[in-house]
């Protein structure tokens, strides 16, 4: 049956080639233009309780870390498939969370509260839950970034309720760290605060004060983790880029204080925007954010060249995402384009909001069944290597193109994103000899074509080479097998499709 579907898919592709617009894609394989972390793909987990609601809907359910079903087999298998998956645990409520360690016995639940930060009271991470979470992360091979509460010890000013002043009190965080160390739990990095930079979202901290606070965190981490080879990284500020605030912060932290500079992106606007589906398909709208990525990358290079740059949180549309868009196939146009764009602009890691929770989750909030973007993320993780290559073409702006050295053996992997209802017939040109790859006839490449079910880009079901991606009977993530194609032929990029192409025979000295 699988063979029959594949043959039908190949015949359909051959028919489409004759109607496609011809495009020559030039790949420069002599040198790299940037380099990502080996674990570039990252997803977030949040603290939101079930009664977190936006636009008269409450899409979080029991997906917050305090309520999440860590025994669910689908959830576990989805995380294991990455081997490993980088996860950032944080979010809006992290600066209201205390930890049940040290002499602390009471552990209050998060509740709706008028006047509270984001409309909620303070909450608590119980010791037992921390044990359960780390047991899950250990079994599934997670690389964890844990977001610490940066507002402990601070208070509002009289004339500006949004601005918090005073020094950060690290005692509660230190008790959490000491317990974590005593249990042998592995933390990849600690992040201080969530969206407190610039004008802040809910609360803000002055840039000089934040630099002082994160320097204190650095000293504590160095003291508690004396072995540099196992010492967690220190990352921050975890908020929206503001040129002046970031420049001041980066100039006020000494060498070696921060290992990673993190920022957040929600460039598609509010989740209830009726034009959201159009933004996702508009190449100019997608490119609007490129300057922000470039600006922050340059700021880090100028002021803290020893540090890497991460997108610490990005959900596309804010306030839990778009109900009819963010979990569908169409969202992959934005998401995979963001992965490609940020990697070319020297970002090391990209954390998707969320792994589970809200409308923008990689996994369904109730069933944990993967949404289309999950499979896009998994293919990127398995196919796209760390070394980023330059690509260019003179065709339509609706064809978005990226290339990396391959993670899957020799050669390169190319990502092609077709935002339009036209098809493209893409010939790959090696910039070293400036000719299409016709001299390698008989050698095969591997193609992974992602398309929506029934051609509906707002479908929750994604097809790989014409076959729906569904969990196996044992609830495992399905195999994702490529279609072998003669390397000398053009790549047919169907309407509204996403294609990964692994070319083992492409000679790129940079790889």
């Amino acid at each position: 049956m699988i063979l029959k579907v594949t043959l039908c898919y190949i015949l359909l592709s051959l028919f489409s080639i004759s109607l496609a617009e011809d495009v020559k894609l030039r790949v420069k394989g002599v040198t790299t233009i940037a380099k990502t972390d080996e674990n570039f793909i990252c997803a977030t987990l949040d603290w939101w309780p079930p009664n977190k609601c936006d636009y008269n809907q409450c899409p979080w359910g029991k997906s917050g870390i305090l309520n999440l079903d860590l025994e669910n087999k689908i959830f576990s298998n989805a995380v294991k498939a990455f081997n490993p998956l980088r996860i950032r645990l944080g979010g809006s409520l992290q600066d209201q969370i205390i930890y049940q360690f040290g002499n602390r016995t009471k552990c209050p639940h998060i509740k709706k509260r008028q006047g509270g930060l984001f409309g909620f009271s303070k909450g608590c991470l119980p010791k037992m839950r921390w044990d359960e979470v780390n047991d899950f992360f250990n079994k599934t091979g997670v690389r964890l970034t844990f977001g610490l509460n940066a507002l402990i010890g601070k208070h509002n000013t009289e004339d500006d309720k949004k601005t918090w002043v005073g020094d950060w009190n690290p005692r509660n965080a230190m008790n959490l760290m000491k317990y974590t160390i005593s249990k042998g739990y592995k933390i990849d990095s600690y992040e201080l605060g969530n969206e407190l930079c610039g004008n802040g979202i809910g609360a803000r901290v002055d840039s000089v004060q934040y630099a002082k606070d994160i320097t204190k965190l650095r000293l504590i981490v160095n003291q508690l983790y004396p072995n540099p080879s196992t010492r967690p990284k220190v990352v921050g500020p975890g908020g929206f880029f503001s040129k002046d605030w970031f420049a001041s912060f980066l100039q006020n932290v000494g060498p070696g204080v921060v290992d990673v500079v993190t920022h957040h992106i929600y460039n598609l606007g509010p989740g209830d925007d009726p034009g959201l589906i159009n933004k996702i398909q508009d190449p100019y709208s997608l490119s609007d954010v490129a300057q922000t990525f470039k600006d922050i990358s340059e700021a880090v290079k100028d002021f803290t060249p020893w540090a890497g740059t991460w997108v610490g949180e990005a959900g596309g549309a804010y306030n839990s995402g778009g109900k009819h868009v963010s979990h569908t196939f169409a969202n992959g146009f934005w998401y995979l384009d963001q992965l490609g764009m940020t990697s070319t602009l020297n970002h090391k890691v990209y954390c998707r909001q969320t792994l589970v929770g809200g409308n923008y989750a990689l996994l369904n909030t109730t069933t944990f069944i993967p949404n289309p973007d999950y499979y896009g993320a998994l293919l990127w993780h398995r196919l796209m290597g760390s070394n980023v290559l330059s690509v260019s073409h003179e065709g339509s702006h609706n064809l978005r193109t990226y290339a990396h050295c391959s993670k899957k053996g020799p050669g390169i992997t190319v990502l092609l994103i077709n935002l339009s209802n036209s098809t493209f017939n893409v010939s790959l040109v090696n910039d070293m000899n400036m000719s299409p790859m016709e001299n390698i006839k008989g050698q095969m490449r591997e193609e992974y074509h992602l398309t929506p079910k029934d051609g509906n880009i707002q479908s929750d079901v994604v097809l790989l080479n014409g076959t729906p991606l569904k969990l196996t009977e044992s609830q495992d993530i399905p195999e994702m097998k490529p279609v072998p194609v003669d390397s000398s032929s053009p790549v047919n990029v169907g309407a509204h499709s996403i294609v990964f192409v692994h070319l083992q025979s492409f000679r790129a000295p940079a790889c």
Side-chain angles (χ1 to χ4, degrees):
M1 181 63 184
I2 294 175
L3 179 61
K4 184 177 179 181
V5 171
T6 302
L7 286 172
C8 290
Y9 181 80
I10 292 172
L11 289 171
L12 182 61
S13 296
L14 290 172
F15 175 74
S16 300
I17 285 175
S18 63
L19 303 176
E21 176 186 336
D22 291 337
V23 174
K24 284 188 177 181
L25 181 66
R26 184 169 290 113
V27 181
K28 296 182 179 180
V30 177
T31 57
T32 58
I33 59 172
K35 188 166 186 175
T36 70
D37 190 271
E38 187 76 8
N39 296 107
F40 176 70
I41 296 293
C42 167
T44 68
L45 290 172
D46 217 304
W47 292 95
W48 289 120
N51 56 349
K52 156 66 174 171
C53 306
D54 297 289
Y55 317 126
N56 298 315
Q57 52 172 308
C58 305
W60 286 84
K62 293 185 177 181
S63 64
I65 195 63
L66 297 178
N67 303 298
L68 192 57
D69 180 7
L70 300 176
E71 302 297 323
N72 185 281
K73 187 177 180 181
I74 298 174
F75 183 44
S76 176
N77 288 340
V79 176
K80 285 179 181 177
F82 281 84
N83 190 32
L85 177 62
R86 185 184 293 279
I87 286 180
R88 177 227 180 202
L89 173 52
S92 298
L93 297 185
Q94 80 178 53
D95 293 305
Q96 291 176 263
I97 302 296
I98 56 174
Y99 320 118
Q100 194 185 31
F101 298 100
N103 296 323
R104 189 175 297 277
T105 54
K106 292 184 179 180
C107 202
H109 296 290
I110 300 170
K111 297 177 181 178
K112 281 273 191 181
R113 198 191 84 182
Q114 190 172 3
L117 204 58
F118 300 103
F120 288 91
S121 68
K122 291 182 179 179
C124 174
L125 171 63
K127 182 168 71 172
M128 181 181 295
R129 187 57 174 175
W130 187 234
D131 290 334
E132 293 168 351
V133 167
N134 278 280
D135 182 60
F136 175 82
F137 288 161
N138 182 55
K139 288 177 179 177
T140 54
V142 166
R143 293 195 174 183
L144 177 64
T145 295
F146 184 76
L148 295 166
N149 183 339
L151 295 183
I152 295 181
K154 298 183 184 297
H155 59 276
N156 302 102
T157 58
E158 287 293 327
D159 52 352
D160 181 4
K161 294 296 183 182
K162 193 174 183 180
T163 299
W164 291 64
V165 297
D167 292 337
W168 175 56
N169 183 343
R171 182 177 299 172
N172 192 220
M174 288 179 69
N175 287 333
L176 169 75
M177 290 182 197
K178 288 176 181 177
Y179 179 81
T180 300
I181 293 167
S182 73
K183 300 290 286 188
Y185 299 150
K186 294 179 181 178
I187 306 293
D188 180 80
S189 45
Y190 287 107
E191 186 174 37
L192 185 62
N194 181 81
E195 298 179 351
L196 302 174
C197 50
N199 293 325
I201 305 294
R204 71 176 298 273
V205 173
D206 176 75
S207 57
V208 177
Q209 179 63 55
Y210 183 82
K212 182 179 178 181
D213 294 340
I214 204 166
T215 299
K216 186 182 293 183
L217 173 60
R218 168 88 275 169
L219 294 173
I220 291 166
V221 170
N222 287 356
Q223 176 189 347
L224 296 181
Y225 295 87
N227 185 349
S229 65
T230 56
R231 181 181 296 156
K233 293 183 283 290
V234 171
V235 307
F240 294 98
F241 179 65
S242 163
K243 189 172 183 179
D244 292 340
W245 193 99
F246 268 70
S248 173
F249 158 59
L250 294 174
Q251 289 177 78
N252 280 281
V253 290
V257 171
V258 289
D259 299 299
V260 175
V261 177
T262 54
H263 70 110
H264 295 180
I265 287 288
Y266 284 88
N267 60 304
L268 296 178
D272 66 344
D273 182 356
L276 181 59
I277 189 67
N278 299 318
K279 286 183 180 179
I280 280 176
Q281 299 172 80
D282 179 4
Y284 299 98
S285 177
L286 295 179
S287 294
D288 274 347
V289 73
Q291 191 62 48
T292 299
F293 294 135
K294 185 177 180 182
D295 287 346
I296 190 168
S297 184
E298 289 181 348
V300 172
K301 182 180 178 181
D302 289 343
F303 301 120
T304 52
W306 58 85
T309 308
W310 292 7
V311 173
E313 181 183 314
Y318 57 79
N319 286 345
S320 304
K323 183 178 181 180
H324 303 294
V325 178
S326 295
H327 54 87
T328 71
F329 179 87
N331 202 63
F333 297 144
W334 162 79
Y335 177 47
L336 286 164
D337 188 64
Q338 285 262 304
L339 297 181
M341 190 187 305
T342 52
S343 63
T344 63
L345 293 170
N346 214 34
H347 282 58
K348 308 302 182 185
V349 169
Y350 189 103
C351 296
R352 165 67 179 263
Q353 175 84 350
T354 60
L355 178 57
V356 58
N359 294 311
Y360 38 37
L362 294 177
L363 306 175
N364 182 283
T365 297
T366 305
T367 65
F368 295 102
I369 292 172
N371 288 320
D373 278 355
Y374 171 87
Y375 292 109
L378 188 55
L379 279 173
W380 178 291
H381 179 73
R382 291 177 175 177
L383 298 174
M384 305 290 271
S386 296
N387 291 325
V388 187
L389 304 174
S390 173
V391 293
S392 61
H393 68 84
E394 296 177 359
S396 170
H397 293 295
N398 287 314
L399 180 64
R400 314 282 283 188
T401 59
Y402 301 97
H404 288 220
C405 293
S406 181
K407 200 174 190 177
K408 187 183 178 184
I412 67 170
T413 300
V414 176
L415 170 61
L416 307 168
I417 304 170
N418 184 357
L419 305 174
S420 72
N421 59 4
S422 301
T423 58
F424 297 98
N425 190 17
V426 180
S427 296
L428 294 164
V429 178
N430 190 328
D431 200 59
M432 286 190 71
N433 55 29
M434 301 298 289
S435 63
M437 297 183 65
E438 295 169 353
N439 59 338
I440 53 173
K441 198 166 185 177
Q443 298 187 44
M444 308 301 282
R445 64 173 181 257
E446 295 177 334
E447 296 185 1
Y448 303 77
H449 293 253
L450 298 177
T451 53
K453 183 182 179 183
D454 299 325
N456 175 18
I457 63 170
Q458 289 181 258
S459 172
D460 281 344
V461 179
V462 59
L463 313 182
L464 174 61
N465 299 326
T467 302
L469 286 171
K470 298 187 297 184
L471 297 174
T472 67
E473 290 184 4
S474 57
Q475 298 183 325
D476 287 315
I477 300 301
E479 271 193 276
M480 293 193 288
K481 293 182 178 180
V483 170
V485 180
D486 192 307
S487 292
S488 62
S489 63
V491 180
N492 181 250
V493 185
H496 293 129
S497 71
I498 297 166
V499 186
F500 288 89
V501 185
H502 174 218
L503 299 105
Q504 186 171 341
S505 54
F506 193 103
R507 295 187 64 187
C511 301

